[in-house]
Amino acid sequence: MRTLFVIRTFLSLMLTILSGTIATAHPGSGIVVDKYGQVYFTDTGKGVWKIDKQGKLTYLPASRFHWMAIDEVGNFSESQKNFGDYFERVTMKSVKPSIIMCSDFPFTVNLDGNIYYADTRPSSARIIRRTPDGKETVLASDKIFEFISGICTGPDSSLYITEASKAGENTIRKITMDGKISILATFVGKEGKDLPSGTVPSYCRGLAVDSTGVVFVAVTGSRSILKITPQGKVTTILQEPSPWTTTGIALFHGEVYVLEWHDVAPSLQEVREAWIPRIRKIGKDGRVTTLVTISRN
């Protein structure tokens, strides 16, 4: 099982590199907060980290994958360590909630207890539903899904996605459980001299939706966090200076948790250990604090 999983992951990695899509060595966007207020986040240079309620940082051995989701109910808690072609359970077997990672595609665990992942391969761009017993079905297919860079679940079980076009435009879309697709917001980021290299200003990664349908998006290309109302109004709630940029986002009790990465030199972009992550929190009062910065020493 493990050998087959490693082979499939390696082949998928090679296909991604050869097809010219976003390089897999770029930093991850996975961050979640469990019901106890513990923060888990991906470190594509090492594995997974956990910050408990007291602020203690603990390393969890795991693959250096990009995407992470939380299975609140624990429907996948009895799965194999590695399951399907792309997934890995980080938490111990039978532990609920379960933390899951994905090697190749953005994904989420929906309120119905199933995994939904965006197969972004040009030949099969689609949203796939995977049940705990391993059955997979297609929720929706569309060429636009090739450009999905983030996906999350809304309060009504709808899926929300960030989709970046080659023209530099980013679109936030909503997909209902019957496959209907609508546009929530479209925007183009502002050019600037201190933007991250290798992206366009509007390039988004992770996103999250609160109980009222307000969407929070990590705009990697402009080092910011956007807040988008159900009516489509867009405001900036966090603007980071160089050299830090935002990639992932999670919500907990009205607070916003942000995964950020320190810029690296262009020559080191494919060196996973060169990327340094940190976690920031935006409090209910708007105050921003740094919870942890990972050291490579």
Side-chain angles (χ1 to χ4, degrees), residues 176-230:
T176 61
M177 285 296 95
D178 57 2
K180 294 181 180 178
I181 306 171
S182 58
I183 294 177
L184 180 62
T186 298
F187 54 91
V188 177
K190 296 181 180 180
E191 295 287 350
K193 64 179 181 179
D194 291 326
L195 299 181
S197 62
T199 68
V200 294
S202 63
Y203 177 56
C204 297
R205 296 286 299 278
L207 73 168
V209 185
D210 71 12
S211 60
T212 66
V214 174
V215 182
F216 297 82
V217 187
V219 188
T220 303
S222 60
R223 308 184 190 275
S224 62
I225 298 294
L226 298 185
K227 177 181 178 181
I228 306 172
T229 68

Coordinates of all heavy atoms in Angstrom, one line a residue, residues 176-230:
T176 N -22.7 24.6 -5.8 CA -23.7 23.9 -5.0 C -23.6 22.4 -5.1 O -23.0 21.9 -6.1 CB -25.1 24.4 -5.3 OG1 -25.4 24.0 -6.7 CG2 -25.3 25.9 -5.2
M177 N -24.3 21.7 -4.2 CA -24.2 20.3 -4.2 C -24.9 19.6 -5.4 O -24.7 18.4 -5.7 CB -24.7 19.7 -2.9 CG -23.7 19.9 -1.7 SD -22.2 19.0 -1.9 CE -21.1 20.3 -2.6
D178 N -25.6 20.4 -6.2 CA -26.2 19.8 -7.4 C -25.4 20.2 -8.6 O -25.9 20.1 -9.8 CB -27.7 20.3 -7.6 CG -27.9 21.8 -7.6 OD1 -26.9 22.5 -7.5 OD2 -29.0 22.2 -7.6
G179 N -24.2 20.8 -8.4 CA -23.3 21.1 -9.5 C -23.4 22.5 -10.1 O -22.7 22.8 -11.1
K180 N -24.3 23.3 -9.6 CA -24.5 24.7 -10.2 C -23.3 25.6 -9.8 O -22.9 25.6 -8.6 CB -25.8 25.3 -9.7 CG -27.0 24.5 -10.3 CD -28.3 25.2 -9.8 CE -29.5 24.4 -10.4 NZ -30.8 25.0 -9.9
I181 N -22.8 26.3 -10.7 CA -21.6 27.2 -10.5 C -22.0 28.7 -10.7 O -22.7 29.0 -11.6 CB -20.5 26.9 -11.5 CG1 -20.2 25.4 -11.4 CG2 -19.3 27.7 -11.2 CD1 -19.2 24.9 -12.5
S182 N -21.6 29.5 -9.7 CA -21.9 30.9 -9.8 C -20.6 31.7 -9.4 O -19.8 31.2 -8.7 CB -23.1 31.3 -8.9 OG -22.8 31.0 -7.6
I183 N -20.6 33.0 -9.8 CA -19.4 33.8 -9.5 C -19.8 34.7 -8.3 O -20.8 35.4 -8.4 CB -19.0 34.7 -10.7 CG1 -18.5 33.8 -11.8 CG2 -18.0 35.7 -10.3 CD1 -18.1 34.5 -13.1
L184 N -18.9 34.7 -7.3 CA -19.1 35.6 -6.2 C -18.4 36.9 -6.3 O -18.9 38.0 -6.0 CB -18.6 34.9 -4.9 CG -18.8 35.7 -3.6 CD1 -20.2 36.0 -3.3 CD2 -18.2 34.9 -2.4
A185 N -17.1 36.8 -6.8 CA -16.4 38.0 -7.0 C -15.2 37.8 -8.0 O -14.8 36.6 -8.2 CB -15.8 38.5 -5.7
T186 N -14.9 38.8 -8.8 CA -13.7 38.7 -9.7 C -12.9 40.0 -9.5 O -13.5 41.1 -9.3 CB -14.2 38.7 -11.2 OG1 -15.0 37.5 -11.3 CG2 -13.0 38.7 -12.1
F187 N -11.6 39.9 -9.4 CA -10.8 41.0 -9.2 C -9.4 40.9 -9.8 O -8.9 39.7 -10.0 CB -10.6 41.3 -7.7 CG -10.2 40.1 -6.9 CD1 -8.8 39.9 -6.6 CD2 -11.1 39.2 -6.3 CE1 -8.4 38.8 -5.9 CE2 -10.7 38.1 -5.6 CZ -9.3 38.0 -5.4
V188 N -8.7 42.0 -10.0 CA -7.3 42.0 -10.5 C -6.5 42.7 -9.5 O -6.8 43.8 -9.1 CB -7.2 42.7 -11.9 CG1 -5.8 42.8 -12.3 CG2 -8.1 41.9 -12.9
G189 N -5.4 42.1 -9.0 CA -4.6 42.8 -8.0 C -3.8 43.9 -8.6 O -3.6 44.0 -9.8
K190 N -3.3 44.8 -7.7 CA -2.5 46.0 -8.1 C -1.0 45.6 -8.3 O -0.5 44.9 -7.4 CB -2.7 47.1 -7.1 CG -4.1 47.6 -7.0 CD -4.2 48.8 -6.0 CE -5.6 49.3 -5.9 NZ -5.7 50.4 -4.9
E191 N -0.4 46.1 -9.3 CA 1.0 45.9 -9.5 C 1.8 46.6 -8.5 O 1.4 47.7 -8.0 CB 1.4 46.3 -10.9 CG 0.8 45.5 -12.0 CD 1.4 44.1 -12.2 OE1 2.4 43.9 -11.5 OE2 0.8 43.3 -12.9
G192 N 3.0 46.1 -8.1 CA 3.8 46.8 -7.1 C 5.2 46.2 -7.2 O 5.5 45.1 -7.6
K193 N 6.2 47.0 -6.7 CA 7.6 46.6 -6.8 C 8.0 45.5 -5.7 O 9.0 44.8 -5.9 CB 8.5 47.8 -6.6 CG 8.5 48.5 -5.3 CD 9.4 49.6 -5.2 CE 9.4 50.3 -3.9 NZ 10.3 51.4 -3.8
D194 N 7.2 45.4 -4.7 CA 7.5 44.4 -3.6 C 6.7 43.2 -3.6 O 6.5 42.5 -2.6 CB 7.4 45.1 -2.2 CG 8.4 46.2 -2.0 OD1 9.5 46.0 -2.5 OD2 8.1 47.2 -1.4
L195 N 6.1 42.8 -4.8 CA 5.3 41.6 -4.8 C 6.1 40.4 -5.0 O 7.3 40.4 -5.4 CB 4.3 41.7 -6.0 CG 3.3 42.9 -6.0 CD1 2.4 42.9 -7.3 CD2 2.5 42.9 -4.8
P196 N 5.6 39.2 -4.5 CA 6.3 38.0 -4.6 C 6.7 37.7 -6.1 O 5.9 37.9 -7.0 CB 5.4 36.9 -4.0 CG 4.4 37.7 -3.3 CD 4.3 39.0 -3.9
S197 N 7.8 37.1 -6.3 CA 8.2 36.7 -7.7 C 7.5 35.4 -8.1 O 7.1 34.6 -7.3 CB 9.7 36.5 -7.7 OG 10.1 35.4 -6.9
G198 N 7.3 35.3 -9.4 CA 6.7 34.1 -9.9 C 5.2 34.1 -9.9 O 4.6 33.0 -10.2
T199 N 4.5 35.1 -9.5 CA 3.0 35.1 -9.4 C 2.5 36.5 -10.0 O 3.3 37.4 -10.2 CB 2.5 35.0 -8.0 OG1 2.8 36.2 -7.3 CG2 3.1 33.8 -7.3
V200 N 1.2 36.5 -10.2 CA 0.5 37.7 -10.6 C -0.1 38.3 -9.4 O -0.4 37.6 -8.4 CB -0.5 37.5 -11.7 CG1 0.1 37.1 -13.0 CG2 -1.6 36.5 -11.2
P201 N -0.4 39.6 -9.3 CA -0.9 40.3 -8.1 C -2.2 39.7 -7.5 O -2.4 39.7 -6.3 CB -1.0 41.7 -8.5 CG -0.1 41.9 -9.6 CD 0.0 40.7 -10.3
S202 N -3.0 39.2 -8.4 CA -4.3 38.7 -8.0 C -4.3 37.2 -7.6 O -5.3 36.6 -7.2 CB -5.4 38.9 -9.1 OG -5.0 38.1 -10.2
Y203 N -3.1 36.5 -7.7 CA -3.1 35.1 -7.4 C -3.4 34.7 -6.0 O -2.8 35.2 -5.1 CB -1.7 34.6 -7.8 CG -1.5 33.1 -7.5 CD1 -2.3 32.2 -8.1 CD2 -0.5 32.7 -6.6 CE1 -2.1 30.8 -7.9 CE2 -0.3 31.3 -6.4 CZ -1.1 30.4 -7.0 OH -1.0 29.1 -6.7
C204 N -4.5 33.9 -5.9 CA -5.0 33.5 -4.6 C -4.7 32.1 -4.3 O -4.5 31.3 -5.2 CB -6.5 33.7 -4.5 SG -7.1 35.4 -4.6
R205 N -4.6 31.7 -3.0 CA -4.4 30.3 -2.6 C -5.6 29.9 -1.7 O -6.7 29.6 -2.2 CB -3.1 30.2 -1.9 CG -1.9 30.4 -2.7 CD -1.6 29.3 -3.8 NE -1.3 28.1 -3.1 CZ -0.1 27.7 -2.6 NH1 0.9 28.5 -2.6 NH2 0.1 26.5 -2.1
G206 N -5.4 29.8 -0.4 CA -6.4 29.3 0.5 C -7.5 30.3 0.7 O -7.4 31.5 0.5
L207 N -8.7 29.7 1.1 CA -9.8 30.5 1.5 C -10.7 29.8 2.5 O -10.6 28.6 2.7 CB -10.7 30.9 0.3 CG -11.5 29.8 -0.4 CD1 -12.5 30.4 -1.4 CD2 -10.7 28.7 -1.1
A208 N -11.5 30.6 3.2 CA -12.4 30.0 4.2 C -13.7 30.9 4.3 O -13.7 32.0 3.9 CB -11.8 30.1 5.6
V209 N -14.8 30.2 4.7 CA -16.1 30.9 4.7 C -16.7 30.8 6.1 O -16.7 29.7 6.7 CB -17.1 30.3 3.7 CG1 -18.4 31.0 3.6 CG2 -16.5 30.2 2.3
D210 N -17.2 31.9 6.7 CA -17.8 31.9 8.0 C -19.3 31.5 8.0 O -19.8 31.2 6.9 CB -17.5 33.2 8.8 CG -18.4 34.3 8.2 OD1 -19.3 34.1 7.4 OD2 -18.1 35.5 8.7
S211 N -19.9 31.5 9.1 CA -21.3 31.0 9.2 C -22.3 31.9 8.5 O -23.4 31.5 8.3 CB -21.7 30.8 10.7 OG -21.6 32.1 11.4
T212 N -21.9 33.1 8.2 CA -22.8 34.1 7.5 C -22.6 34.1 6.0 O -23.2 34.9 5.3 CB -22.7 35.5 8.1 OG1 -21.3 36.0 7.8 CG2 -22.9 35.5 9.6
G213 N -21.6 33.3 5.5 CA -21.3 33.3 4.1 C -20.3 34.3 3.7 O -20.0 34.5 2.5
V214 N -19.6 35.0 4.6 CA -18.5 35.9 4.3 C -17.2 35.0 4.0 O -16.9 34.1 4.7 CB -18.2 36.9 5.5 CG1 -17.0 37.7 5.1 CG2 -19.4 37.7 5.7
V215 N -16.6 35.4 2.9 CA -15.4 34.6 2.4 C -14.1 35.4 2.7 O -14.1 36.6 2.5 CB -15.5 34.4 0.9 CG1 -14.3 33.6 0.4 CG2 -16.8 33.7 0.5
F216 N -13.2 34.7 3.3 CA -11.8 35.3 3.5 C -10.8 34.5 2.6 O -10.8 33.3 2.6 CB -11.4 35.1 5.0 CG -12.4 35.8 5.9 CD1 -13.6 35.2 6.3 CD2 -12.0 37.0 6.5 CE1 -14.4 35.9 7.2 CE2 -12.9 37.7 7.3 CZ -14.1 37.1 7.7
V217 N -10.0 35.3 1.9 CA -9.1 34.8 0.9 C -7.7 35.2 1.1 O -7.5 36.4 1.3 CB -9.6 35.2 -0.5 CG1 -8.8 34.5 -1.6 CG2 -11.1 34.9 -0.8
A218 N -6.8 34.3 1.0 CA -5.3 34.6 1.0 C -4.9 34.9 -0.4 O -4.8 34.0 -1.2 CB -4.6 33.4 1.6
V219 N -4.6 36.2 -0.6 CA -4.1 36.6 -1.9 C -2.6 36.6 -1.9 O -1.9 37.6 -1.5 CB -4.6 38.0 -2.3 CG1 -4.3 38.4 -3.8 CG2 -6.1 38.1 -2.1
T220 N -2.0 35.5 -2.3 CA -0.6 35.3 -2.3 C 0.2 36.4 -3.1 O 1.2 36.9 -2.8 CB -0.2 33.9 -2.8 OG1 -0.9 32.9 -2.0 CG2 1.3 33.6 -2.7
G221 N -0.4 36.7 -4.3 CA 0.3 37.6 -5.2 C 0.4 39.0 -4.8 O 1.2 39.7 -5.3
S222 N -0.4 39.4 -3.8 CA -0.3 40.8 -3.2 C -0.1 40.8 -1.7 O -0.3 41.8 -1.1 CB -1.5 41.6 -3.6 OG -2.7 41.0 -3.1
R223 N 0.3 39.7 -1.1 CA 0.6 39.6 0.3 C -0.5 40.0 1.2 O -0.3 40.7 2.2 CB 1.8 40.4 0.6 CG 3.1 40.1 -0.2 CD 4.3 41.0 0.2 NE 5.3 40.9 -0.7 CZ 6.3 40.0 -0.8 NH1 6.2 39.0 0.0 NH2 7.3 40.0 -1.7
S224 N -1.8 39.7 0.9 CA -2.9 40.2 1.6 C -4.0 39.2 1.9 O -3.9 38.0 1.4 CB -3.5 41.4 0.8 OG -4.0 40.9 -0.4
I225 N -4.9 39.6 2.8 CA -6.1 38.8 3.1 C -7.3 39.7 2.7 O -7.4 40.8 3.2 CB -6.2 38.4 4.6 CG1 -5.0 37.5 5.0 CG2 -7.5 37.7 4.9 CD1 -5.0 36.2 4.3
L226 N -8.2 39.1 1.9 CA -9.4 39.8 1.5 C -10.6 39.3 2.2 O -10.7 38.1 2.5 CB -9.6 39.7 0.0 CG -8.5 40.3 -0.9 CD1 -9.0 40.2 -2.4 CD2 -8.2 41.8 -0.6
K227 N -11.6 40.1 2.4 CA -12.9 39.8 3.0 C -13.9 40.1 1.9 O -14.0 41.2 1.4 CB -13.2 40.5 4.3 CG -14.5 40.3 4.9 CD -14.7 41.2 6.2 CE -16.1 41.0 6.8 NZ -16.2 41.8 8.0
I228 N -14.7 39.1 1.6 CA -15.7 39.2 0.5 C -17.1 38.9 1.1 O -17.3 37.8 1.5 CB -15.4 38.3 -0.7 CG1 -14.0 38.6 -1.2 CG2 -16.4 38.6 -1.8 CD1 -13.5 37.6 -2.2
T229 N -18.0 39.8 1.1 CA -19.4 39.6 1.6 C -20.2 38.8 0.5 O -19.8 38.7 -0.6 CB -20.1 40.9 1.8 OG1 -20.4 41.6 0.6 CG2 -19.3 41.8 2.7
P230 N -21.3 38.2 1.0 CA -22.2 37.5 0.0 C -22.7 38.4 -1.1 O -23.0 37.9 -2.2 CB -23.4 37.0 0.9 CG -22.8 36.9 2.3 CD -21.8 38.0 2.4

